[in-house]
Amino acid sequence: MNSISRVALGALGGAVGALAMTVYNKQVAPLVTNGKNAHLPDQHSVAPLGQLHAPGESSAAAVGRLAYEAAKGRNAPRESLGEQVHWGMGIASGAVYGLLTRDLNLLTSLGFSMTLWVLVDEGLLPLAGLHDGPAGDSVAGHASRLASHLAYGAGLGLTVLALQNGKSTD
């Protein structure tokens, strides 16, 4: 399979992975935290330039708001732009997965999603001030976000597997 086909498969899988992540976050995550918000007040900011997200604002919503304000030069509308950022990140991440991974399968997609969780969710977002520092969430909150990323990886991997089924590869 050539790299363009892998990128396209990855992007499609990334869209399904983003859907799986959304379903997890809306249906399962509240059960993991017993219906309570596991988020704690930020106790350990690691952002050198300070927090860029508003209290209770997701990193995706903060990215959407900041991009809108940079492009338009005015405050973002009240409706959240986080969904667009979430879907764009899911599709783009899936495309990157397809580009970087020659063996597209469930195991590699789960590994990829765990890597995203560690590098982006637990690393880059707090450093950029788009997410609270490590002490800003409970252990259950960190574990739930890992599970959310694993749902993404499962959606990505199973979609790619289904689309590849019966097709010959290079």
Side-chain angles (χ1 to χ4, degrees):
M1 177 182 307
N2 65 40
S3 60
I4 293 173
S5 297
R6 288 194 321 270
V7 167
L9 276 175
L12 287 170
V16 174
L19 176 61
M21 188 179 225
T22 297
V23 169
Y24 173 87
N25 286 334
K26 289 183 179 180
Q27 301 297 320
V28 180
L31 301 174
V32 171
T33 59
N34 296 323
K36 297 177 185 171
N37 187 356
H39 180 77
L40 304 170
D42 192 16
Q43 300 171 23
H44 186 233
S45 176
V46 295
L49 300 177
Q51 295 294 77
L52 299 177
H53 67 91
E57 183 180 45
S58 73
S59 55
V63 169
R65 177 182 51 78
L66 292 167
Y68 181 91
E69 290 171 357
K72 299 288 187 178
R74 63 180 190 268
N75 288 343
R78 290 198 47 84
E79 58 272 358
S80 173
L81 302 170
E83 279 296 309
Q84 293 89 339
V85 171
H86 168 73
W87 284 92
M89 181 68 179
I91 293 167
S93 294
V96 169
Y97 166 75
L99 182 65
L100 296 178
T101 310
R102 286 195 62 71
D103 187 19
L104 305 176
N105 62 55
L106 184 58
L107 188 58
T108 59
S109 70
L110 291 172
F112 180 76
S113 68
M114 288 176 66
T115 301
L116 285 177
W117 173 71
V118 169
L119 294 179
V120 177
D121 206 61
E122 296 289 317
L124 294 176
L125 291 175
L127 283 172
L130 296 168
H131 195 286
D132 289 340
D137 213 343
S138 65
V139 172
H142 288 281
S144 184
R145 285 199 318 276
L146 171 59
S148 173
H149 281 79
L150 290 173
Y152 171 82
L156 169 63
L158 292 172
T159 300
V160 168
L161 184 66
L163 292 173
Q164 286 185 116
N165 194 16
K167 305 255 183 207
S168 62
T169 59
D170 291 347

